[in-house]
Amino acid sequence: MWLWRIANEIQDEQALTVEAHLNEIVRRDGAAHLTLIDPDSQSPEAAAKIAAEASAGGTDAIMVGGSTGAGGTKLDQTLLAIKEQVDLPTILFPSDTGGLNKHADAMFFMTLLNSRDVTYLITHQALGAPLVKKYGIEPIPMAYIIIAPGGTVGWVGDAKLIPREKPELAVAYALAAKYLGMRWVYLEAGSGADKSVPPIMIKAVKEAIGDTKLIVGGGIRDGVTAGQCAKAGADAIVTGTAVEEGDVQTKIEEFVRAIKK
Ligand code: 1GP
């Protein structure tokens, strides 16, 4: 298992897992910023350039994954290129076993809690678990909950989308996740969504789950929106589409400024 440390900040050079590293950032800064790179959206070299610029902008970790075409040699080469360029944890964000890779430091070991398809609830996880062990990838247990509009991942994952105006339904799923022992909950509006998860829903979920960590992503395109999500209770913000459109460092700086103490 890979161990990580917050450079120069932990006096005794104590090694941390990626999860402990993220927890430490949330404790220190109030919230973490995660940059999502879809290996299918650009060449490995371009992905590494995005990661380097995101790192310079102050992002805390690089998530790698996507709903379609995000595996195989391209995933391999993308991870290797990113790791050559940046000294940040790489976290897989797989949609099935094809999204696993031995070059990543950690993965969000997710169950798509509001899927109607049993394969997204437990089958892909069961088939992938032996590979996770074999590759030595650190699994971070996470409930993945898709909120309307849901986008591609909502369709691929056959999610029974949580309506935006029903925070109590998101709370119910998130609480179930907590009681099942998951340490992280991800509220996902879908990559490129026209609206991000409503702050009122984030607030209701965070109040319910307490010290269980809350990640929010999908449709966050500016610092104001990111800041509203963090203020409502998100422990980590994920942005992907925004950095695919260029001007990476400036955009990440804007997100980071908006969410951190
Ligand atoms: C998608 O939540 C992430 O899984 C990021 O969404 O691409 O809209 O930033 P965006």
Side-chain angles (χ1 to χ4, degrees):
M1 182 177 289
W2 275 77
L3 297 173
W4 213 265
R5 56 177 67 98
I6 299 179
N8 305 323
E9 292 194 16
I10 294 188
Q11 300 260 320
D12 60 0
E13 291 280 305
Q14 179 197 355
L16 296 174
T17 60
V18 173
E19 185 178 4
H21 173 76
L22 293 177
N23 282 333
E24 178 57 23
I25 289 166
V26 173
R27 190 196 60 74
R28 186 192 65 187
D29 301 346
H33 178 270
L34 310 177
T35 298
L36 174 63
I37 295 181
D38 185 341
D40 200 35
S41 296
Q42 64 285 297
S43 68
E45 295 70 34
K49 188 164 175 282
I50 291 175
E53 289 179 32
S55 176
T59 198
D60 295 302
I62 308 292
M63 284 166 63
V64 182
S67 300
T68 55
T73 317
K74 191 86 180 283
L75 175 60
D76 226 42
Q77 292 171 346
T78 298
L79 273 165
L80 287 171
I82 291 173
K83 290 183 74 70
E84 222 175 83
Q85 287 286 322
V86 301
D87 191 25
L88 286 175
T90 49
I91 307 173
L92 294 173
F93 184 50
S95 63
D96 55 37
T97 53
L100 295 177
N101 194 282
K102 66 181 175 197
H103 301 300
D105 301 316
M107 68 177 294
F108 288 134
F109 198 91
M110 304 180 284
T111 177
L112 206 180
L113 223 54
N114 57 330
S115 177
R116 283 171 285 221
D117 180 344
V118 70
T119 63
Y120 286 100
L121 285 164
I122 190 58
T123 313
H124 293 302
Q125 293 81 348
L127 296 175
L131 279 176
V132 173
K133 187 171 170 66
K134 185 171 157 191
Y135 293 160
I137 309 167
E138 176 193 335
I140 301 175
M142 173 185 282
Y144 193 43
I145 303 170
I146 305 187
I147 315 300
T152 305
V153 72
W155 186 88
V156 171
D158 195 8
K160 191 173 174 183
L161 299 175
I162 309 257
R164 292 170 52 79
E165 66 283 9
K166 294 285 179 192
E168 66 274 21
L169 292 178
V171 166
Y173 275 96
L175 262 184
K178 181 184 177 78
Y179 297 156
L180 285 164
M182 293 164 195
R183 296 191 290 270
W184 295 72
V185 167
Y186 189 147
L187 298 181
E188 168 75 88
S191 187
D194 54 356
K195 287 182 195 141
S196 55
V197 177
I200 210 165
M201 181 180 278
I202 298 170
K203 185 166 186 287
V205 167
K206 186 59 185 171
E207 275 172 12
I209 63 176
D211 56 4
T212 298
K213 293 292 184 295
L214 181 59
I215 300 191
V216 175
I220 299 173
R221 288 189 182 75
D222 54 65
V224 173
T225 312
Q228 285 167 348
C229 294
K231 195 166 169 231
D235 296 298
I237 301 293
V238 180
T239 60
T241 304
V243 298
E244 284 174 10
E245 291 158 359
D247 210 6
V248 179
Q249 185 173 339
T250 313
K251 283 181 189 161
I252 301 289
E253 280 169 357
E254 182 186 333
F255 293 131
V256 167
R257 237 190 341 266
I259 67 169
K260 290 184 184 269
K261 282 195 282 214

Short mmCIF file of all heavy atoms in Angstrom, two decimals, residues 34-36 63 65-67 93 144 150 153 186-196 215-221 237-244 255, ligand 1:
data_model
loop_
_atom_site.label_atom_id
_atom_site.label_comp_id
_atom_site.label_asym_id
_atom_site.label_seq_id
_atom_site.Cartn_x
_atom_site.Cartn_y
_atom_site.Cartn_z
N LEU A 34 -10.34 18.33 -5.38
CA LEU A 34 -9.89 17.19 -6.16
C LEU A 34 -10.11 17.49 -7.64
O LEU A 34 -11.19 17.92 -8.04
CB LEU A 34 -10.66 15.92 -5.78
CG LEU A 34 -10.75 15.60 -4.28
CD1 LEU A 34 -11.61 14.37 -4.04
CD2 LEU A 34 -9.37 15.37 -3.69
N THR A 35 -9.07 17.26 -8.43
CA THR A 35 -9.18 17.48 -9.88
C THR A 35 -9.43 16.15 -10.56
O THR A 35 -8.66 15.20 -10.39
CB THR A 35 -7.86 18.09 -10.43
OG1 THR A 35 -7.66 19.37 -9.81
CG2 THR A 35 -7.92 18.27 -11.93
N LEU A 36 -10.53 16.07 -11.32
CA LEU A 36 -10.87 14.83 -12.02
C LEU A 36 -10.38 14.89 -13.46
O LEU A 36 -10.71 15.82 -14.20
CB LEU A 36 -12.38 14.61 -12.01
CG LEU A 36 -12.89 13.43 -12.84
CD1 LEU A 36 -12.35 12.10 -12.32
CD2 LEU A 36 -14.41 13.40 -12.87
N MET A 63 -7.95 12.77 -9.30
CA MET A 63 -8.83 11.62 -9.51
C MET A 63 -8.76 11.25 -10.99
O MET A 63 -8.74 12.13 -11.85
CB MET A 63 -10.28 11.97 -9.18
CG MET A 63 -10.58 12.03 -7.69
SD MET A 63 -12.16 12.83 -7.36
CE MET A 63 -13.33 11.73 -8.16
N GLY A 65 -10.57 8.82 -13.91
CA GLY A 65 -11.64 7.88 -14.26
C GLY A 65 -12.69 8.56 -15.11
O GLY A 65 -12.62 9.75 -15.39
N GLY A 66 -13.65 7.75 -15.55
CA GLY A 66 -14.75 8.26 -16.38
C GLY A 66 -15.75 7.15 -16.62
O GLY A 66 -15.47 5.99 -16.33
N SER A 67 -16.91 7.52 -17.14
CA SER A 67 -17.98 6.54 -17.31
C SER A 67 -17.80 5.67 -18.54
O SER A 67 -18.30 4.56 -18.61
CB SER A 67 -19.34 7.24 -17.42
OG SER A 67 -19.59 7.99 -16.26
N PHE A 93 -11.18 6.52 -9.99
CA PHE A 93 -12.62 6.80 -9.89
C PHE A 93 -13.27 5.90 -10.95
O PHE A 93 -13.68 6.37 -12.00
CB PHE A 93 -12.80 8.30 -10.17
CG PHE A 93 -14.19 8.82 -10.03
CD1 PHE A 93 -14.94 8.58 -8.90
CD2 PHE A 93 -14.74 9.62 -11.03
CE1 PHE A 93 -16.23 9.10 -8.77
CE2 PHE A 93 -16.01 10.14 -10.91
CZ PHE A 93 -16.75 9.88 -9.78
N TYR A 144 -21.76 6.32 -3.47
CA TYR A 144 -21.90 7.24 -4.60
C TYR A 144 -23.39 7.41 -4.84
O TYR A 144 -24.11 6.42 -5.05
CB TYR A 144 -21.20 6.59 -5.79
CG TYR A 144 -20.94 7.44 -6.99
CD1 TYR A 144 -20.46 8.74 -6.88
CD2 TYR A 144 -21.13 6.92 -8.27
CE1 TYR A 144 -20.18 9.49 -8.01
CE2 TYR A 144 -20.85 7.66 -9.40
CZ TYR A 144 -20.38 8.95 -9.27
OH TYR A 144 -20.10 9.70 -10.38
N GLY A 150 -27.85 14.14 -13.34
CA GLY A 150 -27.16 12.85 -13.36
C GLY A 150 -26.28 12.57 -14.57
O GLY A 150 -25.31 11.82 -14.46
N VAL A 153 -23.23 9.44 -16.24
CA VAL A 153 -23.06 8.43 -15.19
C VAL A 153 -24.42 7.96 -14.66
O VAL A 153 -24.59 6.80 -14.30
CB VAL A 153 -22.12 8.93 -14.07
CG1 VAL A 153 -22.78 10.01 -13.20
CG2 VAL A 153 -21.65 7.79 -13.20
N TYR A 186 -20.45 10.58 -1.65
CA TYR A 186 -20.24 11.47 -2.81
C TYR A 186 -21.60 11.81 -3.41
O TYR A 186 -22.30 10.92 -3.89
CB TYR A 186 -19.36 10.73 -3.82
CG TYR A 186 -18.83 11.51 -5.00
CD1 TYR A 186 -17.59 11.20 -5.54
CD2 TYR A 186 -19.55 12.53 -5.62
CE1 TYR A 186 -17.06 11.87 -6.64
CE2 TYR A 186 -19.03 13.21 -6.71
CZ TYR A 186 -17.80 12.88 -7.22
OH TYR A 186 -17.30 13.54 -8.31
N LEU A 187 -21.96 13.08 -3.36
CA LEU A 187 -23.18 13.54 -4.04
C LEU A 187 -22.78 14.03 -5.43
O LEU A 187 -22.02 14.99 -5.56
CB LEU A 187 -23.85 14.68 -3.26
CG LEU A 187 -24.35 14.36 -1.84
CD1 LEU A 187 -25.02 15.61 -1.23
CD2 LEU A 187 -25.32 13.18 -1.83
N GLU A 188 -23.29 13.38 -6.44
CA GLU A 188 -22.86 13.60 -7.84
C GLU A 188 -24.03 14.11 -8.67
O GLU A 188 -25.06 13.44 -8.77
CB GLU A 188 -22.35 12.27 -8.40
CG GLU A 188 -22.14 12.21 -9.89
CD GLU A 188 -20.89 12.94 -10.34
OE1 GLU A 188 -19.81 12.30 -10.36
OE2 GLU A 188 -21.00 14.13 -10.65
N ALA A 189 -23.85 15.29 -9.30
CA ALA A 189 -24.91 15.81 -10.18
C ALA A 189 -24.69 15.36 -11.62
O ALA A 189 -25.56 15.56 -12.48
CB ALA A 189 -24.94 17.33 -10.11
N GLY A 190 -23.51 14.74 -11.89
CA GLY A 190 -23.18 14.32 -13.26
C GLY A 190 -22.18 15.28 -13.87
O GLY A 190 -22.32 16.49 -13.72
N SER A 191 -21.19 14.71 -14.55
CA SER A 191 -20.16 15.56 -15.14
C SER A 191 -20.78 16.49 -16.18
O SER A 191 -21.56 16.05 -17.04
CB SER A 191 -19.08 14.68 -15.79
OG SER A 191 -18.03 15.48 -16.23
N GLY A 192 -20.44 17.77 -16.09
CA GLY A 192 -20.96 18.75 -17.05
C GLY A 192 -22.41 19.14 -16.80
O GLY A 192 -23.03 19.79 -17.65
N ALA A 193 -22.95 18.79 -15.65
CA ALA A 193 -24.35 19.13 -15.34
C ALA A 193 -24.58 20.63 -15.43
O ALA A 193 -23.67 21.42 -15.15
CB ALA A 193 -24.70 18.64 -13.92
N ASP A 194 -25.79 21.02 -15.83
CA ASP A 194 -26.03 22.46 -15.92
C ASP A 194 -26.23 23.09 -14.54
O ASP A 194 -26.09 24.30 -14.39
CB ASP A 194 -27.22 22.78 -16.87
CG ASP A 194 -28.48 22.03 -16.48
OD1 ASP A 194 -28.43 21.21 -15.54
OD2 ASP A 194 -29.52 22.26 -17.12
N LYS A 195 -26.55 22.27 -13.55
CA LYS A 195 -26.65 22.78 -12.18
C LYS A 195 -25.94 21.81 -11.25
O LYS A 195 -26.09 20.60 -11.38
CB LYS A 195 -28.11 22.86 -11.75
CG LYS A 195 -28.89 23.97 -12.41
CD LYS A 195 -30.31 23.96 -11.83
CE LYS A 195 -31.26 24.76 -12.67
NZ LYS A 195 -32.57 24.16 -12.81
N SER A 196 -25.22 22.35 -10.27
CA SER A 196 -24.55 21.48 -9.30
C SER A 196 -25.54 21.06 -8.21
O SER A 196 -26.68 21.53 -8.19
CB SER A 196 -23.34 22.20 -8.71
OG SER A 196 -23.75 23.43 -8.17
N ILE A 215 -18.25 14.43 -0.23
CA ILE A 215 -17.68 14.95 -1.47
C ILE A 215 -18.83 15.41 -2.37
O ILE A 215 -19.87 14.75 -2.42
CB ILE A 215 -16.87 13.86 -2.22
CG1 ILE A 215 -15.74 13.35 -1.34
CG2 ILE A 215 -16.33 14.37 -3.54
CD1 ILE A 215 -14.73 12.48 -2.08
N VAL A 216 -18.62 16.52 -3.06
CA VAL A 216 -19.66 17.03 -3.96
C VAL A 216 -19.02 17.33 -5.32
O VAL A 216 -17.94 17.91 -5.39
CB VAL A 216 -20.32 18.30 -3.38
CG1 VAL A 216 -21.31 18.90 -4.38
CG2 VAL A 216 -21.04 17.98 -2.06
N GLY A 217 -19.70 16.92 -6.39
CA GLY A 217 -19.18 17.19 -7.73
C GLY A 217 -20.28 17.20 -8.77
O GLY A 217 -21.42 16.83 -8.51
N GLY A 218 -19.88 17.64 -9.96
CA GLY A 218 -20.81 17.71 -11.08
C GLY A 218 -21.34 19.11 -11.28
O GLY A 218 -22.06 19.64 -10.43
N GLY A 219 -20.92 19.75 -12.38
CA GLY A 219 -21.46 21.07 -12.73
C GLY A 219 -20.90 22.24 -11.94
O GLY A 219 -21.46 23.33 -12.00
N ILE A 220 -19.78 22.03 -11.23
CA ILE A 220 -19.17 23.16 -10.49
C ILE A 220 -18.16 23.84 -11.44
O ILE A 220 -17.16 23.24 -11.81
CB ILE A 220 -18.49 22.68 -9.19
CG1 ILE A 220 -19.54 22.03 -8.28
CG2 ILE A 220 -17.79 23.85 -8.49
CD1 ILE A 220 -18.98 21.37 -7.04
N ARG A 221 -18.47 25.05 -11.84
CA ARG A 221 -17.67 25.71 -12.88
C ARG A 221 -16.98 26.98 -12.41
O ARG A 221 -16.17 27.55 -13.12
CB ARG A 221 -18.56 26.10 -14.06
CG ARG A 221 -19.02 24.94 -14.88
CD ARG A 221 -19.72 25.42 -16.14
NE ARG A 221 -20.19 24.29 -16.89
CZ ARG A 221 -21.26 23.58 -16.56
NH1 ARG A 221 -21.96 23.90 -15.48
NH2 ARG A 221 -21.63 22.55 -17.27
N ILE A 237 -14.47 19.09 -2.88
CA ILE A 237 -15.13 19.51 -4.11
C ILE A 237 -14.38 18.87 -5.27
O ILE A 237 -13.15 18.91 -5.31
CB ILE A 237 -15.04 21.06 -4.26
CG1 ILE A 237 -15.68 21.78 -3.07
CG2 ILE A 237 -15.63 21.53 -5.59
CD1 ILE A 237 -17.16 21.63 -2.96
N VAL A 238 -15.13 18.31 -6.22
CA VAL A 238 -14.51 17.72 -7.41
C VAL A 238 -14.85 18.59 -8.62
O VAL A 238 -16.01 18.93 -8.82
CB VAL A 238 -15.05 16.30 -7.67
CG1 VAL A 238 -14.38 15.70 -8.91
CG2 VAL A 238 -14.80 15.40 -6.47
N THR A 239 -13.83 18.93 -9.39
CA THR A 239 -14.10 19.59 -10.67
C THR A 239 -13.34 18.86 -11.77
O THR A 239 -12.19 18.47 -11.60
CB THR A 239 -13.70 21.09 -10.67
OG1 THR A 239 -12.30 21.21 -10.40
CG2 THR A 239 -14.48 21.87 -9.63
N GLY A 240 -14.02 18.67 -12.89
CA GLY A 240 -13.43 17.97 -14.03
C GLY A 240 -13.55 18.77 -15.30
O GLY A 240 -12.56 19.25 -15.86
N THR A 241 -14.79 18.98 -15.74
CA THR A 241 -15.06 19.65 -17.02
C THR A 241 -14.35 21.01 -17.11
O THR A 241 -13.77 21.34 -18.14
CB THR A 241 -16.58 19.84 -17.21
OG1 THR A 241 -17.19 18.54 -17.11
CG2 THR A 241 -16.92 20.44 -18.55
N ALA A 242 -14.38 21.77 -16.01
CA ALA A 242 -13.81 23.12 -16.04
C ALA A 242 -12.35 23.10 -16.49
O ALA A 242 -11.92 23.97 -17.25
CB ALA A 242 -13.93 23.77 -14.66
N VAL A 243 -11.59 22.09 -16.05
CA VAL A 243 -10.17 22.08 -16.41
C VAL A 243 -9.91 21.52 -17.79
O VAL A 243 -8.82 21.71 -18.35
CB VAL A 243 -9.29 21.34 -15.36
CG1 VAL A 243 -9.37 22.00 -14.01
CG2 VAL A 243 -9.61 19.88 -15.28
N GLU A 244 -10.91 20.84 -18.35
CA GLU A 244 -10.73 20.34 -19.72
C GLU A 244 -10.79 21.49 -20.71
O GLU A 244 -10.43 21.36 -21.88
CB GLU A 244 -11.82 19.31 -20.07
CG GLU A 244 -11.59 17.96 -19.42
CD GLU A 244 -12.75 16.99 -19.65
OE1 GLU A 244 -13.63 17.29 -20.46
OE2 GLU A 244 -12.75 15.93 -19.00
N PHE A 255 -11.01 28.00 -7.48
CA PHE A 255 -11.74 27.01 -6.67
C PHE A 255 -11.14 26.90 -5.27
O PHE A 255 -11.84 26.90 -4.27
CB PHE A 255 -11.71 25.63 -7.33
CG PHE A 255 -12.47 25.53 -8.64
CD1 PHE A 255 -11.89 24.97 -9.77
CD2 PHE A 255 -13.77 25.99 -8.72
CE1 PHE A 255 -12.59 24.87 -10.96
CE2 PHE A 255 -14.49 25.89 -9.91
CZ PHE A 255 -13.89 25.33 -11.03
C1 1GP B 1 -17.98 14.07 -12.33
O1 1GP B 1 -18.35 15.17 -10.30
C2 1GP B 1 -17.45 15.02 -11.32
O2 1GP B 1 -17.97 12.77 -11.87
C3 1GP B 1 -17.01 16.30 -11.93
O3 1GP B 1 -18.03 16.95 -12.67
O4 1GP B 1 -17.01 17.45 -14.88
O5 1GP B 1 -18.99 18.75 -14.06
O6 1GP B 1 -16.75 19.06 -13.02
P1 1GP B 1 -17.66 18.12 -13.69
#
